[in-house]
Amino acid sequence: MSPDLTPDGPNPDGPNPDGPAPGLPPVAPSVTAELVEALSPRLRKRLDAGVAKLAARPVVRDGDTVRIAVDDDTDLELHAPGGTVTSADAVRCGCLLAPDCLHRAAAASAAPVADEASEPTEPTHEAQKVQEEKEAETAGPEERAAARAVFAAAAAVLEAGTDGAGAVLQAELLRAAHTARLAGLPRASASAVSVVTGIRAARSADPSYRLADLAEALGGALGVAHRIPHATGPGLAELRGTARQPYRPDGSLRLYGLFSEPVLTATGYAGAVTWTADAEGRLYTVSDVAPGGPGRATGAADRAVRIGDTSLTHRELARAGLAVSGATVSPTGRLGAGAGVRAVRASGAAWRAEPLERLWAVPVADQVARALGGGHDLLFLDVTLRGAVREATGDCLLADCAGVPLLLATAHDAPALPYRDNLRLLAAAGGSGLRVVARLAPGPMPRALLLAAEHPSDPDARVDLGLDRLQHADLPAGRTPAAAPAPAVDEAPLHLLRRRLHQAVSGGRRVLAFPGGAAGDGARLRHVGLGTAGDLLDGLHAAAADRARDVFGRLLPSDAGRFAGAWLASAVYMSEVERALCAQAWGVTTIPA
């Protein structure tokens, strides 16, 4: 799994000087929903235009207060103690129509969505008992109602597509997310918020936006909301999720630094996560994530880690070691920083020395199987670089990994992070053998996101590719950039179904409702033995085109729920087939349940 990106709470150093001064602070979902709901129908129709207009106005940050000059005579203020706007009263406008003005709702709709996840805590015996009892229950009426609200709001977003999912539809989904959190469904809530974040990235032409990511988020929100009303026991507990991850005592730990990676989320949080391992190969993380922008993502690596009395920075810990007593650890491996935790600097270890060597000794297929089975998704690989491969989304590195062609892509496209520049320089080291750390990117051919690597000229050194910048002088002498042909993949024509799923997310139901739009695609899928895919695609188009008429021949509102159900069934099928293809590509024979 990806690193735990739960924010670390308010910045202990006070207002964050590294955050983007012109940016708006994250706003809690309930605040945005409340402000939009208070608008009159006339103002709701003007909300999207108001958001666009406000985005072009000058913004000034003064401590916990952000001011926007609406015009020459009117200022709008957002008060964000701790970096987040948590109440509607914290958004104030000086115009004559306030507090029911368009400006307050527009500001909340333009701001990043705040992450409402709570900081992990040590559970009491009573809390654990309540949780165990709750796992045996079926979903209650309040939970069912909240789940159905999330499904309905997400279905409305899918019906409209990103082009039509303006601020009003986004606010409805945020309201459903807040309702789900209050009903004890943090997983459904977080899924809904991630959909809104993706929609905003799409509508603002954010360079880091990926349609596939939004489709995955939408499938997650619809899937969780659909299953909750029918789930029981441990399955229901998993679907509910956990808002407060417990830290559990883990005694004394001797840890060895692996690498650090920057964190920069679309929800307005930034920082760094440092990965460490113990002598048995178990992974632990130390994080520093708080409201901020690219400046904080790059600067957090030089901040002291928040654990014990150590003065190690994240960048230093990535190459050193840590001795911890009284350690507490969350289920995701995140180290706690409570008052009883003690930590001091210790010696580190090279990647090619014990105990870190054992991470690379695990067969690659076993590492991939672990990731596909729900374990951490880091891959520890020995590769030989073959050159650069150009793709629509940017350059990738073609590498050989144990005789298997592997594409290594950038982990983040933010211009402030050096991932892409470093990848281009590594392309000039064609023929070099490198030990790398990457994150699995499931697909029909081996693919991973490059996070850290040995130094091209010094195997005893390592490079955090999201934080350190390679120079031409760092490359082995005599190397020149090389272009490599992309490896051929005998891929089943599942792209026919995937393309339609993505088209629906982008353009809404109407793009699949055109007569003849799917002519032959279902038959082609059935012809190659993918009968289920063909039937699902035909059902998706049928649901999109199904519009009843009243006695006067006028079109009635479409059934957004039916279309969302057909889309979800196709998305779940695609996910499972792609998971199986990914396992096959890496030579995995058995995926852990």
Side-chain angles (χ1 to χ4, degrees), residues 187 224 451 500 503 506 515 549:
R187 182 176 171 186
V224 170
L451 300 170
R500 299 304 181 188
Q503 284 178 338
S506 180
R549 296 180 180 270

Side-chain angles (χ1 to χ4, degrees), residues 107-356:
S109 299
V113 184
D115 189 335
E116 293 186 314
S118 300
E119 186 72 0
T121 57
E122 184 73 29
T124 63
H125 175 74
E126 291 75 12
Q128 286 181 303
K129 185 177 179 180
V130 169
Q131 180 65 23
E132 290 170 358
E133 292 174 349
K134 197 173 184 180
E135 289 179 357
E137 300 172 355
T138 58
E142 184 180 2
E143 290 176 319
R144 291 192 179 97
R148 292 188 178 108
V150 170
F151 188 92
V157 165
L158 180 63
E159 170 88 3
T162 56
D163 296 338
V168 173
L169 282 181
Q170 294 171 31
E172 290 299 322
L173 189 51
L174 290 177
R175 174 168 292 283
H178 181 63
T179 301
R181 180 165 290 278
L182 294 180
L185 302 175
R187 182 176 171 186
S189 176
S191 298
V193 169
S194 68
V195 172
V196 174
T197 298
I199 293 171
R200 292 183 178 180
R203 292 173 63 88
S204 65
D206 188 327
S208 65
Y209 166 71
R210 295 290 180 268
L211 178 57
D213 293 340
L214 177 55
E216 182 180 358
L218 190 55
L222 288 169
V224 170
H226 171 74
R227 293 166 58 196
I228 284 174
H230 314 287
T232 59
L236 175 59
E238 180 184 356
L239 291 171
R240 283 172 175 147
T242 305
R244 301 173 66 86
Q245 292 190 358
Y247 278 145
R248 300 186 183 278
D250 204 13
S252 297
L253 298 174
R254 176 63 170 90
L255 304 176
Y256 301 85
L258 277 167
F259 72 99
S260 286
E261 61 174 317
V263 174
L264 183 59
T265 74
T267 55
Y269 291 91
V273 173
T274 298
W275 291 82
T276 65
D278 67 7
E280 303 301 320
R282 291 186 294 265
L283 299 184
Y284 298 83
T285 60
V286 180
S287 65
D288 180 358
V289 181
R296 192 178 199 286
T298 56
D302 294 313
R303 293 173 179 262
V305 297
R306 300 179 184 175
I307 179 169
D309 299 323
T310 179
S311 60
L312 278 172
T313 66
H314 284 268
R315 195 185 301 273
E316 292 169 337
L317 176 58
R319 292 158 178 80
L322 205 62
V324 186
S325 62
T328 57
V329 184
S330 78
T332 59
R334 178 174 167 181
L335 290 171
V341 179
R342 298 290 181 268
V344 296
R345 180 172 186 156
S347 59
W351 281 0
R352 294 184 180 270
E354 289 294 343
L356 299 184

